[in-house]
Amino acid sequence: MPLTRLTVENYRCFSQRQDLEIRPLTVVLGKNNFGKSALVRAPRVMSTGIRNDSPLPLDLSLLGEEPPDFVDLVHGHLEHGNITVGLEFAADIQPLRLEATVQNIDEWHTQVVSRWLLEAGDGSFSLDWLDSEDHADGDERPYRFAGPGPLNGEQVMVRFEGLLPFISGQLDVELMLFRDIIRLEFDQIRYLGPFRTRPGRTGRLSAKPPGRDGDIGRDAASLLIYDHVRRGGRLITKINEYIDGHLPGWELDVVPKYSAYAVGLRSKTERTLWVNLTDAGTGVAQVLPILVGRALDELDPPKRPILEIVEEPELHLHPSAQAELADLYLVAIERTKVRFLIETHSETFLLRLRRRVAEGRLHPDRLALYFVEKNGKGAVAHRIAVDPLGNVDYWPQGVFAEDFEETRALTLAQLDRQDDNAG
């Protein structure tokens, strides 16, 4: 398990330090606008500082269309503020922990790594920026180094590529190994947001296979069309195994439409009956990218660790389907190297996970639950421990209590009406 923990401080709505342990299945819940999305998206933000050669500590342009400005990441949106990010790895050689504070320099229109710390086993290296106008425009800036060797306490000139430092001389030779490990061990990040693109009425066959790690919410139909024409429909067959029993009497199918193709549902009993996915239920269209992703990973398991961020996978699904979706993710963590960081509002999804723990089908060490709530200083992520019987040591007050409260109110209203009628 490469990435085992991430840390944020002064980030978005989190003014205090937050540590999020990454398990094969990490689930974040909470009320709206409390910071869940900001927390689950943090690995994407951190990835912009690991696998690039940009002089910016975080190259937010890599996040795609309409990326946030750095100040948007700072708690309170302070123009001269900073954020702290941390990554912890279970590397093969020795555990590593990287932590960096990124300072916005408004008058320079850029950001600088103001403090950098690397802990490797029993040793540590740190760099503290020596603020100087003389190096405002240069790639190299002066830092105070602390660590083993004759340069301890000395000033060194450092060039950063993202969050990783480069220092001239022998010291850089020592750091080079750790840089390579961090870049290698940092998971490939996938992201599936809450607004999945609905498939078009038709689509064309692409000249080459659509990218697996792009926007699968947008490319799901293209992947299915390519699979149908070029690969014998094995992807569609696997997806139909997933949906068998949840869409009684129907199966996913791709048909030619003039010079293009269309994705839809075909009746198993009336083979001439076919419905374009555009005209099917919203829930089917919203869950399709999830099913495509799981089928792709099962048919061609990734060779390197993947962390897939999924926001609200349960959108527009019936509660029974939400429970089955939880099982789908459990199968995925057993059969592939993909791990999941999921934001959800679904009580059914969570209850299914707890049930599988109680049944012994999911070890509690493979699951991490967090509840995001607010206190007087901002948002906090509260870890919810799950024991081997599926019991939890903490449950947020007022969350998922709606069913009970509505049933209680209904009963009271019925009793009142009966009393009125009796009178």
Side-chain angles (χ1 to χ4, degrees):
M1 186 187 296
L3 182 61
T4 58
R5 185 183 302 270
L6 62 89
T7 299
V8 293
E9 185 175 352
N10 212 40
Y11 167 78
R12 296 276 193 183
C13 51
F14 298 96
S15 62
Q16 300 169 295
R17 183 185 183 93
Q18 308 295 317
D19 290 308
L20 188 71
E21 190 170 359
I22 304 297
R23 296 292 177 90
L25 189 57
T26 306
V27 181
V28 179
L29 58 146
K31 295 184 178 180
N32 290 332
N33 204 36
F34 272 29
K36 303 185 307 297
S37 297
L39 192 60
V40 299
R41 293 173 190 172
R44 290 189 75 211
V45 173
M46 295 179 188
S47 71
T48 70
I50 299 298
R51 293 202 184 97
N52 68 75
D53 56 2
S54 171
L56 289 172
L58 299 172
D59 188 356
L60 300 178
S61 66
L62 298 175
L63 296 178
E65 297 180 3
E66 300 184 6
D69 292 328
F70 180 80
V71 173
D72 295 330
L73 304 180
V74 179
H75 182 73
H77 301 276
L78 301 177
E79 293 181 349
H80 299 282
N82 62 66
I83 66 171
T84 296
V85 297
L87 301 167
E88 193 169 312
F89 303 90
D92 292 336
I93 299 176
Q94 56 187 326
L96 294 178
R97 187 173 78 88
L98 167 67
E99 186 167 299
T101 298
V102 181
Q103 176 70 48
N104 191 56
I105 311 296
D106 190 56
E107 59 270 27
W108 294 358
H109 305 289
T110 191
Q111 294 85 47
V112 172
V113 176
S114 59
R115 178 166 173 77
W116 186 87
L117 172 68
L118 175 69
E119 294 179 344
D122 296 329
S124 66
F125 303 83
S126 68
L127 296 166
D128 287 282
W129 178 45
L130 302 174
D131 190 353
S132 173
E133 289 284 349
D134 297 336
H135 301 86
D137 299 323
D139 289 338
E140 288 190 327
R141 294 189 172 93
Y143 286 79
R144 184 76 64 195
F145 171 76
L151 291 178
N152 181 45
E154 296 294 322
Q155 175 180 316
V156 294
M157 297 300 293
V158 181
R159 173 178 61 87
F160 273 89
E161 290 185 2
L163 295 172
L164 302 177
F166 291 75
I167 308 170
S168 299
Q170 180 62 33
L171 180 58
D172 194 67
V173 175
E174 297 179 32
L175 290 177
M176 181 172 62
L177 172 63
F178 298 120
R179 284 199 307 264
D180 291 344
I181 291 174
I182 290 170
R183 281 179 167 160
L184 178 65
E185 297 293 343
F186 189 81
D187 299 60
Q188 183 175 341
I189 304 295
R190 294 179 186 162
Y191 173 70
L192 185 61
F195 305 109
R196 272 83 82 178
T197 304
R198 195 179 183 89
R201 191 163 291 278
T202 61
R204 294 187 178 275
L205 175 66
S206 58
K208 59 182 181 179
R212 168 63 185 91
D213 298 314
D215 182 354
I216 200 169
R218 179 195 62 213
D219 298 334
S222 297
L223 285 160
L224 291 170
I225 292 170
Y226 190 91
D227 170 76
H228 171 75
V229 178
R230 302 292 191 207
R231 293 179 173 172
R234 63 182 191 138
L235 181 60
I236 296 171
T237 299
K238 177 58 69 174
I239 292 173
N240 281 329
E241 291 177 12
Y242 294 155
I243 66 177
D244 185 37
H246 303 294
L247 287 174
W250 296 90
E251 63 183 8
L252 195 66
D253 191 23
V254 174
V255 299
K257 288 288 185 180
Y258 306 106
S259 60
Y261 294 86
V263 179
L265 295 172
R266 184 177 297 280
S267 171
K268 292 181 179 180
T269 55
E270 298 181 43
R271 301 304 290 172
T272 58
L273 179 58
W274 184 92
V275 179
N276 194 295
L277 209 60
T278 304
D279 302 318
T282 302
V284 176
Q286 290 294 293
V287 79
L288 181 63
I290 296 174
L291 300 177
V292 170
R294 302 290 58 77
L296 282 169
D297 285 337
E298 191 166 345
L299 292 170
D300 297 302
K303 294 180 173 58
R304 61 162 300 147
I306 305 288
L307 179 62
E308 184 166 318
I309 300 167
V310 187
E311 295 187 49
E312 299 181 50
E314 72 277 2
L315 275 179
H316 302 289
L317 293 180
H318 186 274
S320 64
Q322 295 174 17
E324 297 300 327
L325 197 59
D327 281 336
L328 188 66
Y329 284 116
L330 295 185
V331 170
I333 65 174
E334 289 299 325
R335 297 181 181 177
T336 72
K337 293 183 178 180
V338 182
R339 296 177 297 153
F340 299 92
L341 177 54
I342 296 175
E343 175 199 346
T344 184
H345 294 111
S346 172
E347 180 182 17
T348 307
F349 185 95
L350 293 166
L351 287 174
R352 176 58 61 89
L353 295 178
R354 292 175 59 188
R355 170 185 164 184
R356 295 307 186 214
V357 171
E359 293 171 343
R361 296 171 58 179
L362 172 63
H363 196 284
D365 286 348
R366 296 177 63 77
L367 173 66
L369 295 183
Y370 287 87
F371 177 70
V372 177
E373 53 193 344
K374 288 187 177 180
N375 60 19
K377 297 182 179 179
V380 294
H382 190 112
R383 177 70 181 270
I384 303 174
V386 182
D387 71 15
L389 295 178
N391 298 312
V392 294
D393 69 340
Y394 168 77
W395 201 245
Q397 185 176 4
V399 176
F400 300 141
E402 293 84 358
D403 291 346
F404 171 78
E405 292 299 333
E406 289 298 316
T407 302
R408 180 175 179 271
L410 173 63
T411 302
L412 291 174
Q414 292 170 336
L415 291 173
D416 288 343
R417 292 289 297 275
Q418 290 173 356
D419 290 342
D420 290 343
N421 293 335

